[in-house]
Amino acid sequence: MRFAALVRTSSALWAAPPALGLVLFYFHVSFSRDYEFTRGDIPYALETVSFVLDPLYALAYATASSLAAWESGRMKRAGVWAGAPARNHHAIAAQALLPVLVLAWAMLLFPVGLGLLSEGTVLTPDCVPLLAMALFVAAAHGVIGFAVGLVVPRLVAAPLLAAGVFYGVASSASSGERMWPRHVSGAFSTVLSFGERTTWTALAPQFLFTGSIALGLALLGVTARNRGVRTAVPVLSCVVALTGTLAAYDIAEGWGHTAPLSVGHARMTCAGSAPRVCVPVAGGAEPAEVRAEAEAVVRELAAAGVRVTLPRTISDNVINGARPRPSTGEIWWLPLTAGQRDATTRYQVLTRAVRFPCANTSDEVASRSAMLWAAGNTGEAKRYLTAQREELAQYDNGDEVFALIKERVATVRRASTAAQASWYRSELKRACGDAGRAGDT
């Protein structure tokens, strides 16, 4: 049967307008209204794709499952299976499922195309694993729905599958203390940020869970003349479904809220050495300008009597996605692209150049005083005071602390350069409390 004839007789034809209309509504609400407030600073195709797909997984899977159940029920009622005993039952099912899968896939791919077009980006190889997972799981739900429709009346199976699949997939994101359901539901656990990439390992549970159940049900349709084979088919079907389900659970059971991701995926451009400054090409930042700003901050601190050694590398932390990596003595991770765009590069470098002898400060007055003094010597006092005023406003004694740090720094500025530098070093230690004094012994 030709595809056009299949479409004319398929429930996918009359379901397409409301299904695609609902998808466009979701796209408008979630993407057109919200994406500009949540997206990163740099256009990233995979971020766009994952954001668009996030609310659509459940819709597409529910559509595939319910319409497939309707189609198999319709064929059963029409006596198709009895009327074509010599034909391959899987071929008949595949033919009936084709329009349903085309609609389910269109519900995923059409809005993805709109999102990429809106952002002016194109599909990249990094997008393939996530899209492949969504399309595969949609097809698997179609197979499961078709199998259910063969044994449950379609007037019951179709609405129950539509509601059940939608709720099961959509609610997996709020699975409470048990995180593994969100990693096997077919809805990826997070929207990806710039530099992040899904791995096939992270997607394996999604493929295994629904795919194994679909394959197990498909095996039940195998017909054989040999009695031993016919007896073994149900057992094999159960083994396949159970093995895939347990394997998916075993992989995902130890994961947290988000599946493992690979980060740092961006084409970089770098300038200089010691420090070597690197930024993503796509962001349009100039690494040479960033390097010049960093060296200027160090020179100005040195002129004030404070020696700071720059690391071997300063890199843009935007490539680490939503999970920043900590800076070390060898590499500083800073928001370089955003900093150059907002003219805050010097301030970002300053926050790393002021080094406390402890991981966490305990004396907030001393730590803020030291930062304000350093900011004043690098032309960033106004920016730092603005940030502190906003931060301290949430505390009852915020105004008192704000006035105190300004007074302390104003007082020390009357001293000589050497005395100020000595005071600064003592403030760094004082900010650490007992940890700073212990480190001084």
Side-chain angles (χ1 to χ4, degrees):
M1 185 182 295
R2 293 183 178 181
F3 181 71
L6 281 173
V7 171
R8 283 196 300 270
T9 59
S10 175
S11 57
L13 180 62
W14 55 261
L20 294 176
L22 189 58
V23 162
L24 289 176
F25 173 76
Y26 267 72
F27 176 81
H28 173 69
V29 171
S30 68
F31 187 86
S32 301
R33 293 185 181 181
D34 299 336
Y35 189 55
E36 65 177 308
F37 302 109
T38 59
R39 66 185 171 191
D41 298 315
I42 305 173
Y44 188 48
L46 185 52
E47 181 181 32
T48 302
V49 169
S50 62
F51 189 95
V52 172
L53 288 177
D54 192 53
L56 301 181
Y57 295 114
L59 280 173
Y61 301 161
T63 299
S65 185
S66 59
L67 292 183
W70 186 269
E71 287 302 304
S72 62
R74 180 175 63 85
M75 295 174 69
K76 179 183 177 182
R77 183 178 181 183
V80 171
W81 308 115
R87 291 186 60 189
N88 186 303
H89 288 183
H90 289 99
I92 298 174
Q95 193 176 57
L97 279 174
L98 183 58
V100 173
L101 295 186
V102 169
L103 174 59
W105 288 349
M107 293 173 69
L108 297 168
L109 296 177
F110 180 51
V112 164
L114 290 178
L116 292 172
L117 184 64
S118 175
E119 289 298 295
T121 56
V122 296
L123 203 65
T124 62
D126 291 345
C127 303
V128 172
L130 190 63
L131 280 172
M133 182 274 292
L135 298 178
F136 175 86
V137 175
H141 275 290
V143 174
I144 294 170
F146 196 90
V148 172
L150 293 176
V151 295
V152 180
R154 58 179 178 167
L155 291 174
V156 176
L160 284 181
L161 284 172
V165 171
F166 180 86
Y167 177 78
V169 175
S171 65
S172 66
S174 56
S175 51
E177 296 182 359
R178 297 177 299 111
M179 294 295 178
W180 66 267
R182 67 188 294 116
H183 302 306
V184 303
S185 67
F188 194 66
S189 55
T190 188
V191 173
L192 295 147
S193 302
F194 184 85
E196 292 180 334
R197 182 188 295 174
T198 54
T199 64
W200 290 108
T201 300
L203 295 174
Q206 312 278 15
F207 284 96
L208 285 169
F209 181 71
T210 317
S212 63
I213 295 173
L215 179 58
L217 291 173
L219 288 173
L220 291 176
V222 172
T223 57
R225 295 181 179 180
N226 186 285
R227 184 177 180 179
V229 174
R230 289 199 304 271
T231 304
V233 164
V235 177
L236 179 61
S237 174
C238 291
V239 169
V240 168
L242 187 60
T243 300
T245 299
L246 292 177
Y249 171 81
D250 184 63
I251 295 172
E253 191 272 334
W255 292 351
H257 183 273
T258 304
L261 297 173
S262 179
V263 300
H265 299 286
R267 191 161 64 92
M268 307 291 283
T269 177
C270 302
S273 60
R276 180 174 174 80
V277 177
C278 298
V279 296
V281 173
E286 293 294 336
E289 294 180 12
V290 173
R291 187 171 186 272
E293 296 274 25
E295 291 177 333
V297 168
V298 170
R299 284 196 305 270
E300 289 161 7
L301 288 175
V306 176
R307 183 174 180 273
V308 175
T309 303
L310 286 171
R312 294 178 60 184
T313 304
I314 301 177
S315 189
D316 199 328
N317 65 7
V318 72
I319 66 170
N320 295 317
R323 297 152 193 83
R325 294 164 65 181
S327 296
T328 66
E330 293 293 311
I331 181 169
W332 289 1
W333 293 101
L334 298 173
L336 302 180
T337 298
Q340 194 166 83
R341 182 198 61 212
D342 301 333
T344 59
T345 301
R346 290 170 60 88
Y347 183 72
Q348 298 298 340
V349 171
L350 177 66
T351 61
R352 288 301 312 159
V354 176
R355 301 176 185 174
F356 297 95
C358 57
N360 298 297
T361 58
S362 58
D363 189 326
E364 294 304 307
V365 173
S367 64
R368 285 179 165 88
S369 297
M371 278 295 303
L372 178 56
W373 181 86
N377 284 292
T378 55
E380 294 298 317
K382 183 178 180 180
R383 193 184 303 276
Y384 181 72
L385 285 172
T386 300
Q388 287 304 298
R389 186 185 296 277
E390 294 175 355
E391 182 180 336
L392 291 170
Q394 61 186 309
Y395 301 107
D396 293 336
N397 65 338
D399 291 340
E400 179 183 343
V401 172
F402 186 75
L404 181 58
I405 62 175
K406 288 177 63 179
E407 181 184 350
R408 286 169 60 85
V409 174
T411 300
V412 78
R413 289 235 178 260
R414 303 189 189 104
S416 66
T417 299
Q420 289 187 49
S422 177
W423 172 88
Y424 169 76
R425 286 188 286 269
S426 67
E427 285 295 276
L428 294 180
K429 297 173 183 177
R430 182 168 173 261
C432 291
D434 294 337
R437 286 189 289 273
D440 193 34
T441 59

